[in-house]
Amino acid sequence: MPHSPPASSRIIQLDFFRGLMLVVMMLNHLRYFPLASIDPVVANFTFQPLGFTTAAEGFVFLSGLIFAMVYTPRYQREGMRQFDLHVMRRFFFIYRWHLATYAIVVLFFLVPFFNQHWPPNWDSQEAIRQAPFAMLLRASVLLHQTGLLDILPLYLCFIVFIPAVMRALVAGKTARVLAVVFALWFAAQWGPQRYVEATYDLSLGWFEALAWQLMFFTGFVLGYHLRGGLVIPVKRQWVVQALLICVPLFIYRHTADPATITAWASSPAPGSVAQLVSDRGLGAVRILNMAALSYLLYAMCQWRPSWCRARAFTSLGQHAIQVFSFHILLCYALMPLRPWLAEYTLPVHLAFAAACTAALYLPVLVFRKPK
């Protein structure tokens, strides 16, 4: 990752990591298949392979970072008004993919065979089965987000505030922006989104949006300042400190009872140990783990610039929205196969996971721009 990249440059390592996280998410979401019950060790590892952090944290953080690094030069060249137009176009690009993905899922449930053979996973799916078009209407205004369909609505909510955030950054109010971001994260630890869901009978997705905005907007702020010439030094003592954070958390993550780790991920209790590592509310330990791991990966890219450039992953990262949407549809379309797969052994399941991962390259072939 080069220091102070020029406005025209593309940091290929960012595409690499985003592509890698798409693959990890694909494998992670296959935990809903029999793989988890036949070999829980394999399935458990894909959930949080490097400690108390998942691919989702990295994916959201990189989305904010890359957004700023792509669109800040456009603001510098074209001014704020054109910047707002670019942001609006991006919003509607992602909105179209969100709505199209949800609509295809609704079509799946309208097929009798699919509907009858759908294994119960999430309560929010029952609403689609009972009232598919009503739920599609809710999804069009981001008021129904069911399993695996909640990341893109998060982005849409965050993108709405990017023009205001950009204006604050341009005005030199970075500290104020970060103060608001962390204040919202702190408020989210009491689960306001779950309260709204329970009060108004809504399904707003797994992730507490007020907590997860921290990942997106810290990435955006960092990307803005990188385009402004910020240099992040690689210091041996910082690397050691990051290792002292990551290694114990990695060891504990993979030696603790998997059932306990899974239960902690959804803990609603503010101030509890479980809340500190909750992925739903983005607990404080999880943020610390993510920050330390990100610095280690950054240092690795500085020390070994030729690493993390494999086309197999960068091509996925360069088509992240298309690949992400496709993987959701793939998981939904194949879910009725779960009872059939349960009759087979681990090698068949691993081959199934490999085939699903290879399928992620289909949208790359369809949507890549000709040279």
Side-chain angles (χ1 to χ4, degrees):
M1 190 180 298
H3 289 313
S4 303
S8 61
S9 70
R10 186 180 188 110
I11 302 178
I12 199 68
Q13 289 97 332
L14 296 181
D15 292 324
F16 172 91
F17 285 116
R18 191 156 61 161
L20 177 61
M21 289 165 193
L22 285 164
V23 171
V24 173
M25 281 192 281
M26 175 81 255
L27 296 174
N28 190 37
H29 291 154
L30 292 180
R31 293 188 306 119
Y32 297 112
F33 288 83
L35 180 63
S37 58
I38 289 184
D39 196 325
V41 174
V42 174
N44 185 50
F45 184 81
T46 65
F47 174 46
Q48 296 178 128
L50 298 178
F52 287 100
T53 183
T54 67
E57 283 97 327
F59 192 72
V60 173
F61 174 78
L62 282 180
S63 295
L65 177 66
I66 293 172
F67 201 110
M69 298 199 73
V70 169
Y71 287 95
T72 298
R74 296 185 181 184
Y75 154 73
Q76 294 168 340
R77 292 194 305 267
E78 303 169 20
M80 190 63 74
R81 184 175 181 180
Q82 287 300 313
F83 172 82
D84 291 346
L85 290 175
H86 287 305
V87 172
M88 184 174 65
R89 291 190 192 102
R90 188 63 179 173
F91 176 93
F92 283 109
F93 172 79
I94 297 174
Y95 180 79
R96 289 196 300 271
W97 277 94
H98 157 65
L99 199 57
T101 304
Y102 196 103
I104 293 173
V105 169
V106 166
L107 291 177
F108 286 163
F109 279 102
L110 291 176
V111 176
F113 175 84
F114 182 93
N115 200 318
Q116 293 166 9
H117 291 83
W118 174 264
N121 272 318
W122 304 286
D123 292 339
S124 50
Q125 253 93 44
E126 285 302 313
I128 301 180
R129 298 177 72 175
Q130 299 299 323
F133 294 110
M135 292 306 105
L136 179 58
L137 183 61
R138 283 192 180 188
S140 68
V141 291
L142 310 183
L143 290 179
H144 188 266
Q145 302 167 26
T146 186
L148 310 186
L149 285 162
D150 46 6
I151 288 287
L152 295 187
L154 271 184
Y155 285 179
L156 293 171
C157 293
F158 300 158
I159 288 173
V160 167
F161 295 96
I162 281 181
V165 171
M166 175 60 85
R167 283 167 170 79
L169 295 177
V170 170
K173 299 177 181 179
T174 297
R176 187 174 300 180
V177 169
L178 292 177
V180 172
V181 165
F182 276 92
L184 292 174
W185 167 82
F186 184 75
Q189 300 311 297
W190 277 263
Q193 185 168 301
R194 279 167 281 173
Y195 173 79
V196 171
E197 288 179 324
T199 303
Y200 298 101
D201 190 27
L202 298 173
S203 296
L204 300 178
W206 174 256
F207 305 105
E208 282 278 349
L210 291 182
W212 279 74
Q213 54 81 32
L214 183 143
M215 281 288 124
F216 185 88
F217 285 112
T218 53
F220 187 87
V221 170
L222 178 60
Y224 170 82
H225 285 289
L226 286 173
R227 282 304 191 200
L230 174 69
V231 174
I232 303 175
V234 176
K235 296 183 179 181
R236 192 173 301 274
Q237 61 268 32
W238 291 3
V239 171
V240 171
Q241 291 171 10
L243 286 171
L244 290 176
I245 293 170
C246 289
V247 172
L249 290 174
F250 172 85
I251 293 172
Y252 185 74
R253 159 69 186 89
H254 290 285
T255 55
D257 179 12
T260 300
I261 299 299
T262 302
W264 282 5
S266 57
S267 171
S272 67
V273 173
Q275 176 67 13
L276 294 176
V277 297
S278 168
D279 70 336
R280 188 169 195 177
L282 201 63
V285 169
R286 186 171 292 272
I287 294 172
L288 181 64
N289 200 161
M290 172 67 185
L293 181 60
S294 298
Y295 185 75
L296 290 176
L297 293 175
Y298 169 78
M300 180 185 70
C301 289
Q302 290 283 44
W303 288 334
R304 294 291 184 270
S306 61
W307 292 6
C308 302
R309 293 174 173 270
R311 182 66 180 166
F313 295 114
T314 60
S315 61
L316 295 176
Q318 290 165 2
H319 300 82
I321 299 299
Q322 296 94 326
V323 173
F324 181 82
S325 300
F326 176 79
H327 109 274
I328 292 172
L329 295 176
L330 190 63
C331 285
Y332 268 86
L334 297 176
M335 193 69 76
L337 298 179
R338 191 166 73 164
W340 174 76
L341 281 170
E343 301 176 3
Y344 292 88
T345 56
L346 180 62
V348 174
H349 294 177
L350 293 177
F352 172 75
C356 290
T357 303
L360 293 179
Y361 293 91
L362 291 175
V364 175
L365 296 175
V366 171
F367 293 103
R368 67 180 177 182
K369 296 179 181 179
K371 296 182 180 179

